[in-house]
Amino acid sequence: MKALEGIRVLDLATLFAGPMAAMMLGDFGAEVIKVEHPAKPDSSRGHGPGGLWWKMLGRNKRTITIDLSVPEGQDLLLTLARDADVIIENFRPGTLERWNLSYDRLREVNPRLVLARVTGFGQFGPYARRPGFGTLAEAMSGFAAMTGEPDGPPTLPPFGLADGICALATAYAVMTALHARGSGGSGQVVDMSIIEPILTVLGAQPTIYDRLGIVPPRTGNRSVNNAPRNTYRCADGSWVAVSTSAQNIAERVMRLVGRPEYITEPWFATGAGRAEHAAELDEAVAAWVGARTREEVLAAFEEAQAAVAPVYDVRDVLADPQIAALDAVTTVEDPELGPLRMQNVMFRLSDTPGEIRWTGRAHGADTIGVLTEAGLSPAEIEALRDRGVV
């Protein structure tokens, strides 16, 4: 039995946080039904090179089509909601209500339903009706302001960081609501904004500013909390990253690079003190690393029990023996493309492990099957298809 077997999720959401949260639930056995518009497939089907994003984001989901903007489509969703545990949507606030699919109406047909509403800024407040994208959250959370070189511009991540963090938070919120329901409660609404999870993972910045008035500066790869902490170029042109969050690690690094005299300096005794001397510590580490190949650097750091990692691109990730041992990137058979490599489920459970049962399926591939299970006859389904409802 899978960990979430018996949980049925209706995924009404589009790029990226909501669908990724539904994917995570499906990875551990939830039955996820992806609902798309009959004439406007989910944007992820065409996102990125070759539309391959969909193969990952749509994995472990059955796919159906319903036009939710028309009454017949709304009735169909209510029919499916009767047997669902979770609905995940990311429309602008008020959209479900405009479609006569408010939570009050959904709850009439299923009081145990959990409705997860994912938006840029939440369901209320002055920004609630703004379009919400991860980029906006990365900018407004404080992330971009503290990212980049000191003399450079605020820097955005080259991927959906805020969306990914929000997906994790949404999956967690859904499971929290399901646990509350299972403890004698009923269904409820999850109000999830994209901006709040990334604001949380940025740490104690609001508290620090509130008490000390400190605004985090842009420091590039350096840290205000410890040093040396940076990326360093090796003799063969590759790069490594060094971290010295622990005092004993910092001491091992400086002995390794032949500068033990720094260890006796009074300022070296704290991470903040070392950070104030980051330039000279970086110079020492960079000179030592720059005279050696990456293989030599990694071997020496490992022998010294100091913290280092190679800076990988995706080619390196796929060739790494630890990634292979964990099966963190696995191979899944796709009926259209053959064997596909993609990230595996995110963690391992000893008794009820997750798995990728199939990749993202064709648009509307399961419409007939799902609606038949819901009690519609072939004639009724064909009539709905003729009218463009499914």
Side-chain angles (χ1 to χ4, degrees):
M1 184 174 180
K2 301 299 180 184
L4 299 181
E5 191 169 325
I7 299 296
R8 175 177 262 205
V9 179
L10 301 181
D11 175 11
L12 314 186
T14 56
L15 297 173
F16 275 108
M20 188 172 287
M23 180 201 81
M24 293 171 183
L25 299 174
D27 283 350
F28 284 88
E31 179 191 7
V32 180
I33 299 173
K34 175 71 176 180
V35 180
E36 300 174 76
H37 190 281
K40 302 173 186 176
D42 189 285
S43 300
S44 63
R45 290 185 180 274
H47 188 81
L52 292 172
W53 258 94
W54 168 251
K55 292 298 183 180
M56 174 192 173
L57 202 60
R59 72 191 193 194
N60 292 334
K61 299 179 183 181
R62 302 171 76 189
T63 60
I64 70 171
T65 60
I66 302 177
D67 184 351
L68 298 177
S69 67
V70 299
E72 287 178 291
Q74 295 153 15
D75 289 341
L76 278 180
L77 188 74
L78 290 172
T79 297
L80 297 177
R82 289 190 178 94
D83 297 320
D85 298 281
V86 180
I87 291 179
I88 300 176
E89 61 97 359
N90 68 341
F91 304 111
R92 289 196 200 186
T95 300
L96 284 188
E97 288 75 10
R98 190 172 70 251
W99 290 342
N100 299 309
L101 293 171
S102 67
Y103 185 62
D104 287 341
R105 190 175 184 200
L106 291 167
R107 199 168 187 168
E108 286 176 4
V109 302
N110 185 355
R112 291 174 56 77
L113 184 69
V114 172
L115 174 63
R117 315 194 73 171
V118 183
T119 57
F121 302 101
Q123 294 294 313
F124 57 91
Y127 303 157
R129 298 189 67 82
R130 289 184 181 181
F133 297 100
T135 298
L136 309 186
E138 288 147 10
M140 295 179 65
S141 63
F143 172 85
M146 64 180 297
T147 304
E149 294 299 324
D151 57 351
T155 302
L156 297 166
F159 65 101
L161 176 63
D163 283 294
I165 297 171
C166 183
L168 285 163
T170 301
Y172 164 62
V174 165
M175 296 310 303
T176 301
L178 289 174
H179 179 75
R181 186 189 73 175
S183 300
S186 60
Q188 58 183 301
V189 175
V190 173
D191 180 2
M192 176 64 69
S193 72
I194 298 175
I195 195 169
E196 288 173 284
I198 189 171
L199 182 62
T200 297
V201 302
L202 285 175
Q205 292 182 28
T207 307
I208 293 169
Y209 176 76
D210 178 62
R211 302 304 297 174
L212 303 175
I214 297 173
V215 177
R218 285 193 288 283
T219 60
N221 289 323
R222 289 177 176 171
S223 168
V224 297
N225 299 310
N226 62 78
R229 190 263 199 183
N230 214 322
T231 57
Y232 305 94
R233 190 178 183 117
C234 304
D236 56 9
S238 58
W239 293 79
V240 296
V242 173
S243 174
T244 57
S245 297
Q247 180 68 24
N248 62 340
I249 298 295
E251 293 174 4
R252 291 172 190 169
V253 169
M254 299 320 296
R255 290 193 187 98
L256 175 63
V257 302
R259 302 302 296 270
E261 68 273 14
Y262 282 128
I263 298 172
T264 61
E265 294 287 346
W267 50 262
F268 196 88
T270 66
R274 297 197 308 275
E276 291 178 359
H277 294 261
E280 54 197 290
L281 295 175
D282 271 345
E283 184 178 357
V285 176
W288 186 91
V289 170
R292 292 160 176 81
T293 66
R294 185 168 76 178
E295 185 177 346
E296 292 170 336
V297 171
L298 296 177
F301 266 75
E302 184 172 356
E303 184 177 354
Q305 297 184 30
V308 70
V311 176
Y312 279 171
D313 63 23
V314 67
R315 295 167 296 184
D316 301 310
V317 170
L318 294 179
D320 184 84
Q322 181 63 31
I323 298 294
L326 295 174
D327 198 27
V329 176
T330 195
T331 300
V332 188
E333 192 68 29
D334 180 80
E336 297 173 311
L337 302 176
L340 278 183
R341 299 180 79 180
M342 65 177 62
Q343 297 94 321
N344 207 341
V345 300
M346 199 173 297
F347 51 88
R348 286 160 293 283
L349 296 180
S350 60
D351 294 338
T352 54
E355 66 173 330
I356 304 172
R357 301 183 296 284
W358 61 82
T359 57
R361 290 167 59 74
H363 182 231
D366 302 289
T367 300
I368 293 175
V370 170
L371 295 185
T372 299
E373 293 167 10
L376 277 73
S377 68
E380 289 173 314
I381 296 171
E382 189 61 32
L384 289 169
R385 190 186 297 277
D386 290 341
R387 292 193 293 275
V389 178
V390 300

